[in-house]
Amino acid sequence: MNVQSQIKNYIAAQAEPKRSDMQELHGVILGIMPDCKLWFLDGRDETGKVVSNPNIGYGARTIKYADGQSREFYQIGLSANTTGISVYVMGIKDKKYLAEKYGKKIGQASVTGYCIKFRALKNIDVDVLVDAMRYGVDHTRA
């Protein structure tokens, strides 16, 4: 199954209203990054053990490790969680930036170093979320 089919099936498997919110966010992110690489991670490690929620990734950046190795990973992530939706803004060096810049303006959301978690789109200011994602994409280009 190709990545687009995996993403479509993952979003379709969510209960409403999460399904509609995720579909809308998927479109918003593709609007920000129209030609980006798409990823689908099923949440399992190489042994098949579940280690995270499945997630959709958008874009590509290179992660460099202290030992000199590197690997490609996504810039923006989208995932359903038990209470709502998580948006991951990956690769921002200043782990306080998202919370300080967007935390008070975004609405009913938890904002950490790279994750913006909320129950539903109706509870947040989507324009503020878009600004945070654009910032992440602009600061993590390969």
Side-chain angles (χ1 to χ4, degrees):
M1 184 181 310
N2 68 27
V3 173
Q4 283 90 349
S5 295
Q6 290 174 307
I7 291 169
K8 183 178 177 183
N9 290 344
Y10 175 60
I11 293 172
Q14 306 305 313
E16 285 296 351
K18 195 182 300 185
R19 177 185 321 126
S20 293
D21 283 355
M22 288 189 69
Q23 188 63 52
E24 183 174 338
L25 278 171
H26 180 64
V28 165
I29 298 168
L30 290 176
I32 294 169
M33 310 169 72
D35 299 318
C36 70
K37 177 177 181 176
L38 289 175
W39 306 62
F40 183 77
L41 305 176
D42 66 5
R44 298 179 188 277
D45 67 10
E46 56 280 344
T47 67
K49 179 181 174 191
V50 175
V51 295
S52 71
N53 290 327
N55 54 88
I56 304 166
Y58 305 84
R61 56 184 279 275
T62 301
I63 299 173
K64 293 184 175 130
Y65 295 101
D67 66 3
Q69 293 186 20
S70 63
R71 75 177 180 118
E72 188 178 61
F73 202 62
Y74 57 74
Q75 294 169 282
I76 302 294
L78 176 62
S79 179
N81 59 56
T82 54
T83 60
I85 298 170
S86 295
V87 173
Y88 305 101
V89 182
M90 306 301 289
I92 297 174
K93 297 204 185 327
D94 181 351
K95 296 301 173 206
K96 295 178 183 174
Y97 183 81
L98 282 180
E100 289 174 355
K101 174 83 174 168
Y102 304 104
K104 287 185 172 57
K105 297 190 293 187
I106 198 161
Q108 296 175 8
S110 164
V111 183
T112 64
Y114 65 92
C115 181
I116 301 170
K117 188 187 321 189
F118 49 92
R119 283 193 182 274
L121 281 178
K122 68 180 182 180
N123 297 338
I124 66 164
D125 184 329
V126 176
D127 291 335
V128 173
L129 177 62
V130 167
D131 285 347
M133 290 188 290
R134 284 187 196 281
Y135 175 86
V137 170
D138 289 345
H139 286 83
T140 59
R141 293 196 192 278

